[in-house]
Amino acid sequence: MFVKNCWYVAGWDYDLPQGKVLARTIIDRQLALYRKQDGGVVAIEDRCCHRHAALHLGQIEGDCIRCMYHGLKFDPSGRCVDIPGQDRISPKAVIRSYPVVERDNWIWVWMGDPALADPNLIPFSVGPGDPDWDMRPSSLVFDADYRLVVDNLLDFSHITYVHRKTFGGEQFSDGLPKITKLDRGFRVERWLRNAPALVFIEHIMTGRYDMLVDYSVLMPCVFVMRFKIFAAGTATEGPSNGQLLLDTWTCQSVVPATADQCVYYFSWGASKETATPEIGDLLYAGINKAFLEDKEMIEAQHRNIKLQPDLPMIGIAHDAAVNQMRILMNRFIEAESAGIAAE
Ligand code: FES
Ligand SMILES: [Fe+2]
């Protein structure tokens, strides 16, 4: 159920200060992450090759980490470089090390074949460090299959119902968005015309607006959305900017830990040209509240599916992107297990 040959977010950069060892579970693998003296991130198997103790309980020594059970020490490549009480170190004394890239304030880890770890496959995103955008980062743990969260992101009709108190947006379940196939996912676009602003900013944005929702969901679980609000009647399809009142990005990644748990890293923020810090506060509070609404719905859905996994589901028109993404994911997973690259 997991794609291996892809970059997964292991956390925000601020989750990993110098001197800390971070434990993460990604696609059923335990990782320990820490920083070398030059600040570069090391991601290694969180399992000592001696008696399988957890290395996140270890001690950083220079660029190396020492298992604090019986003292074996490993370098950033995972090779054992010290065994207390003996001179000879077997070449088998090695643990797995994973390729890591820090980009846009996210720590990305490649979980598959290291020879295929191409940094160009890291999706575009706007991080909290971008000087032009007031991005606010956050994260939540969902006790659910990550694919249910990806489904949720590919079908915004749920906004009308799940987020009726936070986002509102009756038009989300009306009509269908435009869906375009991308190399590694799908782009979803829709206009909401002459609509009230989202519920959580209605008190400062009264009246009616045109809103553009334009996002991509990329293999296996990265979501990047541009959301813009224009004065009603001023925005046209295409490159026209209309009378732009609020311009935002939200960048999100749903990272599978196990079959039953995922970690949701997300941010939302406005361009500094169109927003005040107050708007930034509202977006941050709004997205955190809304994602707790998703969490409640999706965790309950996950429990239902776990209890009776073979019961059939029915399809509706809004499932189009959800279904296409599942087909794409399965194609990647099958191609990996067959040892060939998916197209
Ligand atoms: S389990 Fe790590 S040194 Fe023994
Ligand atoms: Fe949602």
Side-chain angles (χ1 to χ4, degrees):
M1 64 182 293
F2 305 125
V3 181
K4 294 192 186 82
N5 286 323
C6 64
W7 294 98
Y8 283 101
V9 171
W12 292 105
D13 53 6
Y14 62 77
D15 294 332
L16 187 58
Q18 189 69 257
K20 178 172 177 176
V21 187
L22 192 63
R24 286 287 191 259
T25 306
I26 301 177
I27 62 166
D28 273 340
R29 293 287 173 269
Q30 310 286 98
L31 272 64
L33 297 105
Y34 65 94
R35 289 189 186 276
K36 293 186 288 189
Q37 286 171 310
D38 66 3
V41 177
V42 176
I44 49 172
E45 198 178 348
D46 190 10
R47 180 197 300 261
C48 175
C49 57
H50 174 223
R51 307 292 292 172
H52 296 188
L55 282 170
H56 73 268
L57 301 174
Q59 174 174 292
I60 300 167
E61 294 183 9
D63 287 350
C64 298
I65 187 165
R66 189 180 293 282
C67 175
M68 291 306 279
Y69 202 178
H70 314 98
L72 269 66
K73 181 161 122 176
F74 301 89
D75 73 9
S77 73
R79 196 170 56 94
C80 181
V81 293
D82 185 29
I83 301 180
Q86 68 182 65
D87 294 331
R88 187 180 169 275
I89 300 176
S90 160
K92 286 189 191 153
V94 65
I95 55 172
R96 185 166 174 187
S97 153
Y98 295 84
V100 183
V101 173
E102 270 192 276
R103 186 177 293 176
D104 305 315
N105 303 100
W106 266 335
I107 299 168
W108 298 87
V109 180
W110 181 269
M111 297 300 294
D113 178 353
L116 302 176
D118 177 2
N120 292 322
L121 292 174
I122 295 175
F124 165 86
S125 68
V126 181
D130 190 308
D132 298 327
W133 297 83
D134 180 15
M135 303 298 288
R136 311 283 184 92
S138 193
S139 60
L140 272 176
V141 173
F142 278 31
D143 289 319
D145 180 337
Y146 78 104
R147 294 173 299 183
L148 298 178
V149 188
V150 177
D151 293 349
N152 168 282
L153 291 169
L154 281 159
D155 175 9
F156 269 18
S157 71
H158 81 273
I159 290 178
T160 309
Y161 303 98
V162 176
H163 304 307
R164 60 196 176 280
K165 294 182 189 146
T166 45
F167 293 157
E170 287 187 10
Q171 292 183 36
F172 278 110
S173 54
D174 236 10
L176 296 172
K178 179 179 165 196
I179 300 166
T180 315
K181 170 86 176 67
L182 305 172
D183 273 355
R184 292 172 69 91
F186 294 91
R187 179 175 178 185
V188 181
E189 297 164 82
R190 76 176 307 155
W191 280 92
L192 308 181
R193 299 281 185 189
N194 198 32
L198 304 179
V199 169
F200 72 93
I201 47 173
E202 259 181 344
H203 60 292
I204 55 167
M205 294 191 81
T206 54
R208 316 287 292 185
Y209 302 91
D210 290 343
M211 292 179 271
L212 173 65
V213 174
D214 181 355
Y215 64 89
S216 301
V217 178
L218 299 170
M219 286 291 302
C221 46
V222 174
F223 169 100
V224 177
M225 179 170 90
R226 193 84 178 257
F227 173 71
K228 296 180 178 184
I229 301 182
F230 302 87
T234 70
T236 54
E237 313 252 348
S240 160
N241 252 349
Q243 191 184 333
L244 181 61
L245 302 175
L246 186 64
D247 189 4
T248 74
W249 280 109
T250 170
C251 303
Q252 308 175 13
S253 192
V254 185
V255 181
T258 63
D260 299 311
Q261 189 175 78
C262 56
V263 185
Y264 198 172
Y265 300 97
F266 53 91
S267 63
W268 199 8
S271 72
K272 290 185 180 164
E273 275 174 20
T274 62
T276 59
E278 184 199 7
I279 288 272
D281 293 343
L282 287 171
L283 294 177
Y284 182 73
I287 198 170
N288 276 283
K289 195 168 170 201
F291 286 1
L292 287 173
E293 295 166 340
D294 286 317
K295 178 176 158 73
E296 182 183 27
M297 181 62 76
I298 292 170
E299 287 182 347
Q301 178 194 19
H302 178 78
R303 290 192 294 274
N304 276 348
I305 293 170
K306 285 282 284 188
L307 282 174
Q308 291 177 288
D310 298 325
L311 283 188
M313 298 180 179
I314 62 143
I316 62 170
H318 278 293
D319 295 334
V322 172
N323 291 338
Q324 290 179 55
M325 188 71 179
R326 287 288 184 119
I327 291 168
L328 186 68
M329 278 174 150
N330 288 339
R331 195 172 337 133
F332 269 73
I333 291 166
E334 282 161 21
E336 280 186 0
S337 50
I340 51 170
E343 292 177 8

